[in-house]
Amino acid sequence: MLKRSLALGPAVVVLFLGLAIGPKYDRYVLPAFDGHVYAAMAEQPRLFTVAPWGYRILEPWLVFLIPASSAALGFFWLNLILLAGAIFTTGWWLRRLGFSDVAASLASFAFAVSPPVVLLLKYQVLVDPLAVLFLVLIYAELERRDLPSLMALLAAAALTKETGLMAVALLPLHLAARGRILRGLMDA
């Protein structure tokens, strides 16, 4: 029971923080320029707005599928779930790397209450929570060494936001640390 509480605790904290903040925006009141662009994309998924926002199609398309009264409300609920998922996945990944349950939970909790996560909970109409979840999943997938799954995650991350491709820059470092990059170059 304690182990399950340690694993779920930080994600529940994010859910409570998000619910305490609550939905702040609707169809007519949106935050800054990004919020307007993403809301327009969620209302009309085939509409290309403007680069680079227009290439970040995955989360607006998911919001389009949510039966919410407005795109802003759909973003709120989806991002709340995605951030909680990212926090939970971070703890899961850290436990897989060998961290103790307590250490993984403390790290996840620190992530959950960090200013960037709180800012995402307040801004609400962004694609960054999905990008964060994909980054954590990509890092976890590097340990599993399942190339098709890794490529699928990288493709989905690229459809979410270009920051998802940061993991591609880290791939040579990961391979070098495992001594596999030289073997791959020798086989080529």
Side-chain angles (χ1 to χ4, degrees), residues 35-49:
H36 287 277
V37 173
Y38 293 134
M41 291 171 63
E43 290 171 359
Q44 296 293 325
R46 293 184 292 163
L47 172 73
F48 181 83
T49 53

Side-chain angles (χ1 to χ4, degrees), residues 3 30 37 56 65-66 69 88 93 98 103 108 115-116 130-131 136 167 170 184 187:
K3 190 174 182 177
L30 292 167
V37 173
R56 302 169 183 169
L65 297 175
I66 296 174
S69 59
F88 178 78
W93 173 53
S108 297
L130 185 58
V136 176
L170 295 175
D187 290 343

Side-chain angles (χ1 to χ4, degrees), residues 3-188:
K3 190 174 182 177
R4 184 174 294 152
S5 298
L6 286 173
L8 291 176
V12 172
V13 167
V14 167
L15 290 174
F16 280 127
L17 278 172
L19 291 173
I21 292 169
K24 295 175 17 178
Y25 304 106
D26 60 21
R27 175 173 284 129
Y28 306 107
V29 178
L30 292 167
F33 181 74
D34 293 16
H36 287 277
V37 173
Y38 293 134
M41 291 171 63
E43 290 171 359
Q44 296 293 325
R46 293 184 292 163
L47 172 73
F48 181 83
T49 53
V50 63
W53 298 272
Y55 297 112
R56 302 169 183 169
I57 61 173
L58 187 56
E59 190 168 348
W61 182 76
L62 292 173
V63 170
F64 173 74
L65 297 175
I66 296 174
S69 59
S70 71
L73 194 58
F75 270 104
F76 169 76
W77 288 110
L78 181 60
N79 284 343
L80 185 59
I81 292 166
L82 291 170
L83 281 174
I87 300 300
F88 178 78
T89 306
T90 299
W92 167 76
W93 173 53
L94 291 173
R95 282 186 288 283
R96 274 187 45 196
L97 288 176
F99 287 82
S100 70
D101 292 337
V102 173
S105 294
L106 286 174
S108 297
F109 179 77
F111 182 30
V113 297
S114 68
V117 171
V118 174
L119 186 66
L120 287 175
L121 288 170
K122 289 179 180 176
Y123 199 90
Q124 299 176 357
V125 187
L126 286 175
V127 298
D128 295 273
L130 185 58
V132 169
L133 178 60
F134 277 133
L135 280 175
V136 176
L137 288 171
I138 288 167
Y139 295 149
E141 197 62 36
L142 284 172
E143 293 301 315
R144 279 193 34 197
R145 300 182 186 127
D146 183 11
L147 190 60
S149 297
L150 180 62
M151 293 300 114
L153 284 170
L154 285 168
L159 290 174
T160 302
K161 193 168 184 178
E162 59 279 1
T163 54
L165 298 176
M166 285 189 322
V168 174
L170 295 175
L171 192 56
L173 297 174
H174 175 74
L175 294 174
R178 301 236 184 257
R180 293 186 289 170
I181 197 162
L182 292 175
R183 187 174 38 218
L185 289 173
M186 298 294 273
D187 290 343

